[in-house]
Amino acid sequence: MVLHIDRRSLVLGGLGLGAMAMPAGRAAARQLLGASGFTHNVASGEPGPDSMLLWTRFVPAGDGGVVTLQAEVALDQAFAKVVAGGVVRTGAYRDWTAKLTVDGLKPGTVFWYRFVAPDGSKSPVGRTKTLPVGPVSRFGLAVFSCSNLPNGYFNAYGHAAARQDLDLWLHTGDYIYEYGVGSTREGDWAQGRKEQLLPVTEILAIADYRMRYASYRADPDLQRLHQMAPMVALWDDHESANDSWEGGAQNHQPDKEGDWNVRRAAAMQVYREWMPVSDEPWKAYPIGALATLYRTESRLLGRTRPADLGAAFKAADPDAALKAFRDGAWRDPSATMLGSTQESWLAHEFKASSKAWQLVGMGTILGRTVMPRDAVDWLRPEVADKKVAGYRNNVRAAQQGVPMWMDRWDGYPAARSRLLKAALAADTDLVMLSGDSHNAWAYGLVEDSRPAGVEFAGQAVTSNGMEGDMGADPKVVAQGFMAANPELKWADTSRRGYMMIEVTPRSVAGEWLFLKTIKARSTELAGSHRMRVDRGRRVFAA
């Protein structure tokens, strides 16, 4: 059976952080991970012109050992014309998930696929599409990020899955969150969603991460999304722990939670089990002669520890400390988001593909952002004093030319410069596709006073954005950020949804789609905003 979780079938309300130790919590966990058959539908990813990675999860009845599944790929939904397939093994050692790459497919073609179990049972039928070759007149992809399950329903996934004009999904990270239910303020919960999160505590070990993915992947809108088109996915921090880097994370305390390397390895292993991704750390996907899409890795393998901006505010003379930080630690050329190997790979890819659009999927935003001077005046009266102090500190840093978010590319200016210079040296049309911030932004990226490309930064699927702190009109907040940041060309700081990216030989257009609500299941839109960059311009069209 394909498992869906709703309030009737999974009731954990009021159990608190110890729920997994209680009988009701154990029963819910057994229902989720103890289900048999094809428990979590199907998915596809890693698309190529003649290949596709297929994913499913099959749990045999009883104790069961290793299971061999057969995959079938057809040109029709009834499977009258099976054109490819293969066999794959799975077992408890990989949480019964199965991945198989099928070759020999025709480019730019819609295929239907399914898995068949030894008992003759069949998985749901999935739809996928290979990448095109040669001239391409149009390619559409949807971009998602930041889906915190307790905060709301995955309406963005449901809306996108029902569209007929998209070829591919791109998920730029924070597909899951590692927090327990106690980390979400009660007022931010969507009715019924908290009860669907397992385990209810923060996830640390392999079993925890597996259960968290199982609870997310039981969502019907997420299942439908994976079922309808292939996904290129990359992790950001919450697939492991908040503000992670290669040697640790803000949300990991070694004295209480053990060795970071053990937790990081668990997070990486389970991500690769449950997601339709290969084990390659980064990859290029050619979209015919039109474009190249890049999957990057900027969290767990090469990212160095971010510079400590907070120490400057504790100094006897914070302004002097901020200047020293700006001219010293912040500009350290050894600081890197990608690591030197990936930086070199991406630069060489730009040169090799300079005649096509370069679409770079990135976990965090590249555009430069400082805190506007008036930001404190926009805050709600009930915002905690500690958070207000944080805004004041970021305003103070801005007066010294220091950005506010050290965890994104703003904290790695030398590495950002290297990336943009590589794009300029290749004379390429760079389009960054990013997430992480929970709000919607459009940046015109500048390097050495030259336009270097544009960035479409997407809003969250459900995670709370800046509007949680701001009492001012969102339009006032957006205008204030644009006035303070020359690279920022547009912003929306209050709504959830996803981005639609339409690529043609002449332009790349991005449309931010905003859902009316995430607190109930609905795919009704509440508006959109569209911007375009034309070939060879590297700035947004007027």
Side-chain angles (χ1 to χ4, degrees):
M1 69 175 182
V2 176
L3 189 65
H4 297 300
I5 293 181
D6 56 30
R7 295 191 71 193
R8 293 180 298 276
S9 63
L10 183 59
V11 180
L12 286 174
L15 295 178
L17 293 177
M20 293 311 299
M22 300 173 65
R26 291 197 297 270
R30 283 196 298 270
Q31 179 184 1
L32 186 63
L33 293 182
S36 62
F38 290 100
T39 63
H40 286 80
N41 213 305
V42 294
S44 64
E46 302 297 354
D50 61 354
S51 64
M52 188 68 65
L53 184 150
L54 307 179
W55 180 98
T56 195
R57 182 173 187 265
F58 179 83
V59 182
D63 294 332
V66 174
V67 173
T68 299
L69 304 176
Q70 180 179 351
E72 298 177 338
V73 181
L75 290 171
D76 63 308
Q77 200 167 356
F79 286 82
K81 299 179 180 178
V82 175
V83 296
V87 291
V88 60
R89 293 180 185 177
T90 187
Y93 59 89
R94 56 171 302 109
D95 203 17
W96 304 104
T97 62
K99 294 192 294 189
L100 173 69
T101 297
V102 178
D103 289 307
L105 305 179
K106 184 179 178 180
T109 302
V110 171
F111 292 94
W112 304 90
Y113 65 96
R114 66 187 179 190
F115 290 85
V116 182
D119 61 5
S121 62
K122 296 179 176 63
S123 73
V125 174
R127 176 188 181 277
T128 194
K129 189 176 182 180
T130 50
L131 295 179
V133 297
V136 179
S137 60
R138 180 195 176 276
F139 192 86
L141 66 153
V143 183
F144 308 96
S145 66
C146 306
S147 47
N148 195 346
L149 188 146
N151 283 151
Y153 288 89
F154 295 160
N155 296 330
Y157 295 153
H159 188 275
R163 297 180 67 143
Q164 302 298 314
D165 59 344
L166 293 167
D167 300 290
L168 181 68
W169 316 131
L170 171 66
H171 205 296
T172 62
D174 296 343
Y175 181 97
I176 66 161
Y177 278 68
E178 83 279 17
Y179 301 129
V181 296
S183 297
T184 301
R185 295 180 300 182
E186 187 171 356
D188 292 334
W189 294 334
Q191 186 175 9
R193 290 299 263 180
K194 180 188 71 168
E195 294 85 353
Q196 297 171 10
L197 188 73
L198 286 174
V200 297
T201 54
E202 183 178 338
I203 54 177
L204 297 172
I206 285 180
D208 301 332
Y209 282 97
R210 284 173 170 172
M211 189 172 292
R212 183 61 53 85
Y213 277 95
S215 66
Y216 268 68
R217 291 291 296 275
D219 180 89
D221 290 316
L222 181 51
Q223 286 191 9
R224 185 64 173 169
L225 186 82
H226 278 297
Q227 190 177 5
M228 293 307 294
M231 177 182 286
V232 169
L234 54 105
W235 59 53
D236 193 34
D237 53 341
H238 289 291
E239 287 87 350
S240 53
N242 183 56
D243 289 359
S244 53
W245 56 286
E246 64 175 343
Q250 176 274 331
N251 190 31
H252 182 82
Q253 291 71 48
D255 58 331
K256 299 178 181 179
E257 296 169 332
D259 187 343
W260 165 249
N261 289 316
V262 173
R263 184 178 186 180
R264 180 180 69 161
M268 292 170 62
Q269 175 180 327
V270 177
Y271 183 87
R272 287 168 172 163
E273 288 173 350
W274 275 86
M275 296 295 288
V277 297
S278 69
D279 290 347
E280 300 158 283
W282 47 80
K283 192 171 181 178
Y285 305 86
I287 305 171
L290 178 65
T292 302
L293 173 66
Y294 299 97
R295 170 168 60 83
T296 61
E297 196 291 315
S298 59
R299 274 294 172 191
L300 300 178
L301 302 181
R303 179 195 280 247
T304 54
R305 188 171 191 168
D308 183 10
L309 174 60
F313 302 115
K314 301 174 184 177
D317 186 346
D319 290 328
L322 284 168
K323 290 179 182 178
F325 175 84
R326 178 196 65 199
D327 298 333
W330 182 57
R331 300 182 186 275
D332 185 351
S334 70
T336 177
M337 292 275 280
L338 305 178
S340 59
T341 300
Q342 190 179 183
E343 283 187 15
S344 176
W345 167 79
L346 194 56
H348 281 87
E349 287 285 337
F350 286 165
K351 290 180 181 179
S353 307
S354 61
K355 292 182 180 180
W357 292 102
Q358 307 299 295
L359 311 174
V360 181
M362 188 66 65
T364 55
I365 293 173
L366 204 73
R368 182 66 49 80
T369 317
V370 302
M371 186 67 74
R373 185 185 296 270
D374 297 332
V376 176
D377 298 331
W378 303 332
L379 296 176
R380 300 178 189 273
E382 63 269 24
V383 172
D385 291 344
K386 183 177 180 180
K387 184 170 281 191
V388 173
Y391 277 93
R392 292 189 188 280
N393 286 340
N394 282 324
V395 170
R396 191 168 193 170
Q399 307 313 305
Q400 304 300 331
V402 178
M404 58 188 185
W405 288 312
M406 293 295 107
D407 184 59
R408 58 191 234 182
W409 284 87
D410 271 340
Y412 301 76
R416 176 194 132 114
S417 181
R418 291 194 294 268
L419 191 157
L420 294 179
K421 285 180 177 178
L424 286 170
D427 192 27
T428 194
D429 287 290
L430 176 67
V431 177
M432 301 297 301
L433 304 173
S434 56
D436 183 65
S437 77
H438 304 177
N439 294 120
W441 317 83
Y443 294 88
L445 305 171
V446 176
E447 178 63 26
D448 292 336
S449 301
R450 300 165 58 194
V454 301
E455 181 167 35
F456 296 93
Q459 72 275 37
V461 170
T462 61
S463 300
N464 293 330
M466 194 175 296
E467 73 283 349
D469 294 336
M470 298 295 171
D473 186 326
K475 293 181 180 178
V476 171
V477 176
Q479 288 295 327
F481 268 92
M482 285 187 282
N485 294 282
E487 286 192 343
L488 184 60
K489 305 306 178 184
W490 173 83
D492 180 280
T493 62
S494 64
R495 295 179 288 180
R496 311 281 78 81
Y498 70 103
M499 290 192 300
M500 160 68 187
I501 306 296
E502 184 178 54
V503 188
T504 70
R506 298 186 62 180
S507 67
V508 173
E511 184 177 20
W512 292 262
L513 298 157
F514 301 107
L515 276 300
K516 186 175 182 179
T517 184
I518 60 169
K519 298 306 180 183
R521 180 163 281 118
S522 170
T523 57
E524 184 178 354
L525 293 179
S528 64
H529 181 79
R530 187 177 177 90
M531 296 180 72
R532 187 186 83 245
V533 58
D534 294 330
R535 189 66 181 271
R537 299 288 295 170
R538 299 171 193 164
V539 296
F540 286 111

